[in-house]
Amino acid sequence: MQNGIGKMAWEGILTHPMSGRVMEKPRTIGKTVCSDLGLSYDECLQVISNCGPYIDRIKIAFGTSVIYSEEYLKAKIQAYKDAHIQVNPGGTCGEIAVYQGVFDKWLVHARELGFTTIEISDGTIQVDDKTRCECIEKVLKAGFECCTEVGKKMTDEQLAIQEAVRQVKRDLQYGVSTVTVESRGSAKGVGVYDKDGKIKVDDVEAYLDAGIDPTKLTWEAPMKDAQEFFIAYFGNNVNLANVRVGEVIALEGLRCGLRGDTLNRVVKGLAK
């Protein structure tokens, strides 16, 4: 049995052209992170049935968890947890809690609701280093996995790459498990993406030149071209987020060399 899904369809006949893909959960590298943008409970179960083994974490996106009834939200969270998928409220939800001055109460209730992971971000609000550090410490003390996100959501508020690098290094020193580099769902004019959605390679390299462990970074990559770039650059165990739930299997195919784009790199001897 592989990854809890029984015998693979082509077991003993075909293997993954790109070797080395970490398959067994819990993964510490090669994580795929998706956003639940408002799936119904039945759709949630369908996602789990179709691609649960390949999703490592689901975020209940933005502040949408505030809209659900407690009973319904708990049911969705439990379904994901039963499939060994970590669950966190969206970073915006935490930002609202900070903005409204109820972060401590919010954190307690996040545990009661069943969340396993908390994301700290300041994509919309302004948070100084001291406040961010205090929030991270509280999350870790409460027993959650803590991940953070660095970057601003508005195109006219983008951080200089030097500041983004500083913030990533700061968060990692606080002890978070991973830092996500913001891109939003558009991946245009935000983070390491230019206004046309092309990746600014120099910005990606700036994180590495600063000595940041690439396995501690998670890159938001909602589009196939970006997913292909990061897999080619870092290998098939790169951490990717903002992956659409309907494209998880397609992404896993890219990771394993089961699509022409990455199979071509194997054939040409370029795959990492």
Side-chain angles (χ1 to χ4, degrees), residues 9-215:
W10 292 98
E11 193 168 319
I13 300 173
L14 297 179
T15 60
H16 295 166
M18 285 184 71
S19 62
R21 172 68 175 134
V22 175
M23 302 301 297
E24 297 295 331
K25 289 185 181 180
R27 281 178 279 264
T28 57
I29 58 174
K31 292 187 175 184
T32 295
V33 182
C34 301
S35 292
D36 180 330
L37 303 177
L39 297 173
S40 70
Y41 183 72
D42 287 344
E43 288 172 329
C44 162
L45 296 181
Q46 288 174 358
V47 167
I48 292 167
S49 174
N50 184 47
C51 51
Y54 307 108
I55 300 174
D56 297 276
R57 176 161 52 90
I58 286 273
K59 70 165 68 176
I60 308 298
F62 326 125
T64 54
S65 61
V66 179
I67 296 171
Y68 295 127
S69 73
E70 182 172 304
E71 180 182 12
Y72 185 71
L73 180 58
K74 283 183 174 180
K76 288 186 74 173
I77 292 172
Q78 190 60 52
Y80 288 128
K81 289 167 65 176
D82 288 345
H84 307 290
I85 298 171
Q86 300 295 305
V87 195
N88 69 277
T92 299
C93 192
E95 290 184 39
I96 294 168
V98 171
Y99 179 73
Q100 295 182 348
V102 295
F103 186 81
D104 290 0
K105 291 182 179 179
W106 176 82
L107 199 57
V108 169
H109 197 52
R111 173 65 72 197
E112 294 169 347
L113 290 169
F115 287 108
T116 64
T117 307
I118 297 294
E119 178 182 283
I120 300 297
S121 67
D122 59 354
T124 303
I125 67 172
Q126 299 298 322
V127 177
D128 58 35
D129 283 7
K130 180 176 181 293
T131 302
R132 190 174 179 102
C133 177
E134 290 172 349
C135 288
I136 292 171
E137 288 178 342
K138 289 175 180 177
V139 170
L140 293 173
K141 186 177 181 180
F144 291 98
E145 178 184 354
C146 185
C147 58
T148 62
E149 186 172 78
V150 163
K152 292 295 184 180
K153 295 186 180 298
M154 300 299 111
T155 55
D156 60 349
E157 297 178 355
Q158 293 304 293
L159 302 176
I161 186 60
Q162 295 84 357
E163 175 59 13
V165 167
R166 183 195 74 81
Q167 291 191 20
V168 169
K169 295 179 76 172
R170 170 204 62 195
D171 287 3
L172 289 174
Q173 289 175 347
Y174 291 159
V176 304
S177 61
T178 186
V179 182
T180 299
V181 180
E182 172 73 78
S183 82
R184 305 203 75 178
S186 65
K188 289 185 177 181
V190 178
V192 297
Y193 296 86
D194 68 18
K195 63 181 179 61
D196 298 316
K198 301 295 184 182
I199 293 175
K200 297 181 285 185
V201 180
D202 287 349
D203 283 7
V204 173
E205 293 179 341
Y207 290 99
L208 306 184
D209 292 343
I212 295 170
D213 181 353
T215 67

